[in-house]
Amino acid sequence: MAIYDAILGVTAWLNGLNDWLYTWVMILALVGTGIFLSIRTRAVQLRHFTGMVTYLTQSRHGSRGGISSFQAFAIGMSTRIGIGNITGIALAMILGGPGSLFWMWIVAIVGMSTAFAEATLAQIFKFRHRDGTFRGGPASYIMDGVKSPRLAIVFASAMVFCMFIAMPMVQANTIAKVVAGAHGIDPAIIGVVIAGLTALVLFGGVRRVARATEVISPLMALFYLGIAAVIIIVNITAIPQFFIDVFSSAFGLREAFVGTGSGFVAALLNGTRRGLFSNEAGMGTSPNAAATATVNHPVQQGLIQAFGVFLDTIFICTATGFIISTTGALDYSSVTPDDAAHITTDAITSTLGSWMIWPVSVMIFFFGFSSLLGAYAYGEANLVFLKKSRVLELTSRAVLIASSFMGSVMALTFVWAVMDLAMFAVTILNLIAIIGLAPWVIALLGDYEKQIAEGNSPVFRADQAQLPGSIPSDVW
């Protein structure tokens, strides 16, 4: 009982700290960086939107023995499309009302430029791993671009904690809560299953992770969008009212929606926080996946990763919000944050029938499982940056597996509070680096657009591009 009370106390303290950090620091940093990069790139997310789609459809092959551009995209989407789209949206709406969706959209639109910048930087500053594949991410471009080894070490250390401990706990917790609630299975048993399956994949290395997520992520996303499409068709007359509720709640005009929060501030705060966790723009996670791809030009992967933000938030998060809002599964007068794990499942089964419990449980399981695999890829890239050690790599896999088990039996609010604090640390460090390296992004984009204007298929050559400095590796 004393341990339980202590956890409750720590959770309350963490939530208070996170509220302050996200209200006064994170929102300004995220949106400000996105606006800054949108201006500097002349709204690259709008001007090159068709290019994003084109590259995505053509990037399945051509990795030349490494990891293809699509596989890197799939690893990134494995953590983007997952629990954040299920439990995260429900939690945001519980605390901030349907208006939180509006602020998620804003974060995503401006965040697409941030995602483009960090993925492009990850490509230009990547390095070759001993297995022949590439590694990289914020730690690498902080080290070689910003020229700050200490800051790079701090970032990599924070990312290792975030990806090997905090992220697996969140994913496993939601899987366990959903499956336990739907089928009455002990969360500890679910935790053992999660840990066992994770171990089977992780000890195959990053190539096996890439192959697994390449299949799991698109299939689960399509399955979920199919469910959403059916529910939207069934409730098609509710679409106008849904958008009215979103916009009115976003500015505090209908505060009755909000259960434990209060109007405009609650919508803004929770929309930003959950939007970040869902699309990860600026967080510094997806660049670790972007760096693994073998592409002809760094901008190519930047565009593909930016499209992932659009797909995640504008399509999938909005679909979840519609499902929750129009099915009546969310009762603001009695709901609590701990109910977030099953709200979306309840909404789906109330519309399509109880027979959907098993398909939805399987879908959520694989959403969370693919996110665990993506987390490993991110964490491993930063661990390799800190120290190339086979012993440490094996130990990190064991830690992630143990975290996935522990998260399955812990309180939802506690693991989300830990994740939010970890996200804040890595995001702020990453945003500082992106702003400092903006000239590199502009130069690379200029080189790409120049080749496009000349009618050529862009191929990056370091000796021909007008870069702000030299590239410290022989990758390019």
Side-chain angles (χ1 to χ4, degrees):
M1 190 66 181
I3 295 177
Y4 178 76
D5 291 339
I7 292 176
L8 287 178
V10 172
T11 302
W13 182 84
L14 286 174
N15 282 329
L17 176 61
N18 287 332
D19 285 345
W20 187 89
L21 292 173
Y22 277 78
T23 302
W24 299 107
V25 182
M26 183 68 87
I27 292 175
L28 292 175
L30 272 177
V31 178
T33 301
I35 293 174
F36 168 75
L37 291 170
S38 295
I39 293 172
R40 291 296 307 273
T41 62
R42 295 176 292 122
V44 64
Q45 67 268 50
L46 302 179
R47 294 190 300 110
H48 288 285
F49 187 82
T50 56
M52 297 177 189
V53 179
T54 300
Y55 276 131
L56 183 61
T57 58
Q58 297 176 351
S59 63
R60 182 68 171 76
H61 304 288
S63 61
R64 300 186 295 278
I67 292 176
S68 73
S69 188
F70 181 82
Q71 286 177 320
F73 171 81
I75 292 175
M77 292 308 295
S78 70
T79 52
R80 278 198 179 111
I81 300 178
I83 301 307
N85 301 93
I86 308 295
T87 302
I89 303 304
L91 186 59
M93 294 179 70
I94 290 171
L95 297 174
S100 57
L101 289 169
F102 173 82
W103 298 110
M104 286 185 189
W105 298 337
I106 298 301
V107 168
I109 291 171
V110 299
M112 287 176 70
S113 63
T114 309
F116 166 79
E118 61 184 357
T120 301
L121 289 170
Q123 269 291 315
I124 198 66
F125 289 107
K126 65 186 178 182
F127 58 92
R128 197 178 301 276
H129 191 40
R130 64 169 174 262
D131 64 1
T133 59
F134 295 115
R135 298 291 189 277
S140 295
Y141 56 71
I142 291 172
M143 169 75 81
D144 297 327
V146 180
K147 306 295 184 183
S148 177
R150 290 183 179 178
L151 190 61
I153 291 173
V154 171
F155 177 90
S157 300
M159 186 61 76
V160 166
F161 171 82
C162 194
M163 293 297 109
F164 287 146
I165 298 177
M167 177 73 82
M169 287 173 61
V170 167
Q171 306 299 335
N173 181 272
T174 300
I175 294 172
K177 292 292 188 294
V178 169
V179 176
H183 307 287
I185 302 174
D186 190 331
I189 295 176
I190 301 169
V192 170
V193 173
I194 295 171
L197 290 176
T198 303
L200 286 176
V201 178
L202 291 194
F203 283 96
V206 73
R207 280 197 177 94
R208 181 174 291 182
V209 172
R211 288 194 294 268
T213 54
E214 180 183 28
V215 175
I216 294 173
S217 297
L219 286 179
M220 291 301 101
L222 289 173
F223 179 66
Y224 185 62
L225 286 174
I227 292 175
V230 172
I231 294 178
I232 289 171
I233 292 171
V234 171
N235 298 279
I236 196 165
T237 57
I239 291 178
Q241 186 60 49
F242 167 70
F243 284 102
I244 290 173
D245 291 344
V246 169
F247 285 106
S248 59
S249 173
F251 298 97
L253 301 179
R254 299 182 66 180
E255 296 188 12
F257 277 118
V258 183
T260 56
S262 57
F264 168 75
V265 174
L268 177 63
L269 176 64
N270 289 284
T272 302
R273 187 183 302 183
R274 298 279 72 83
L276 168 64
F277 181 79
S278 179
N279 65 54
E280 301 183 17
M283 183 178 168
T285 50
S286 58
N288 296 283
T292 64
T294 303
V295 293
N296 292 325
H297 198 288
V299 166
Q300 178 181 337
Q301 196 64 29
L303 293 173
I304 289 176
Q305 297 297 132
F307 182 75
V309 175
F310 178 86
L311 178 64
D312 172 271
T313 305
I314 305 303
F315 274 90
I316 298 180
C317 289
T318 302
T320 300
F322 181 85
I323 290 171
I324 293 172
S325 294
T326 58
T327 56
L330 179 53
D331 182 359
Y332 287 101
S333 64
S334 60
V335 74
T336 68
D338 284 327
D339 295 321
H342 62 79
I343 288 292
T344 305
T345 303
D346 292 346
I348 293 172
T349 55
S350 67
T351 302
L352 302 181
S354 59
W355 68 274
M356 282 296 297
I357 291 178
W358 270 107
V360 171
S361 297
V362 172
M363 178 192 69
I364 291 177
F365 180 91
F366 280 107
F367 266 153
F369 183 64
S370 65
S371 294
L372 283 171
L373 302 184
Y376 165 73
Y378 295 166
E380 191 235 22
N382 286 274
L383 189 67
V384 169
F385 174 84
L386 291 171
K387 185 176 179 60
K388 296 179 180 179
S389 167
R390 181 63 175 169
V391 174
L392 280 179
E393 287 184 29
L394 294 176
T395 302
S396 69
R397 295 173 193 177
V399 169
L400 188 147
I401 293 166
S403 297
S404 66
F405 172 77
M406 292 299 297
S408 66
V409 297
M410 300 182 77
L412 179 144
T413 49
F414 174 75
V415 297
W416 278 88
V418 172
M419 185 65 199
D420 280 344
L421 187 59
M423 281 195 327
F424 175 84
V426 296
T427 302
I428 292 300
L429 291 174
N430 184 50
L431 293 178
I432 292 172
I434 293 173
I435 292 174
L437 295 174
W440 283 84
V441 178
I442 304 307
L444 289 164
L445 180 59
D447 178 69
Y448 170 86
E449 292 179 334
K450 178 182 177 183
Q451 295 187 53
I452 289 288
E454 293 172 348
N456 300 320
S457 179
V459 176
F460 178 72
R461 294 183 176 85
D463 59 341
Q464 296 181 13
Q466 297 180 351
L467 300 175
S470 59
I471 303 174
S473 73
D474 59 356
V475 169
W476 295 101

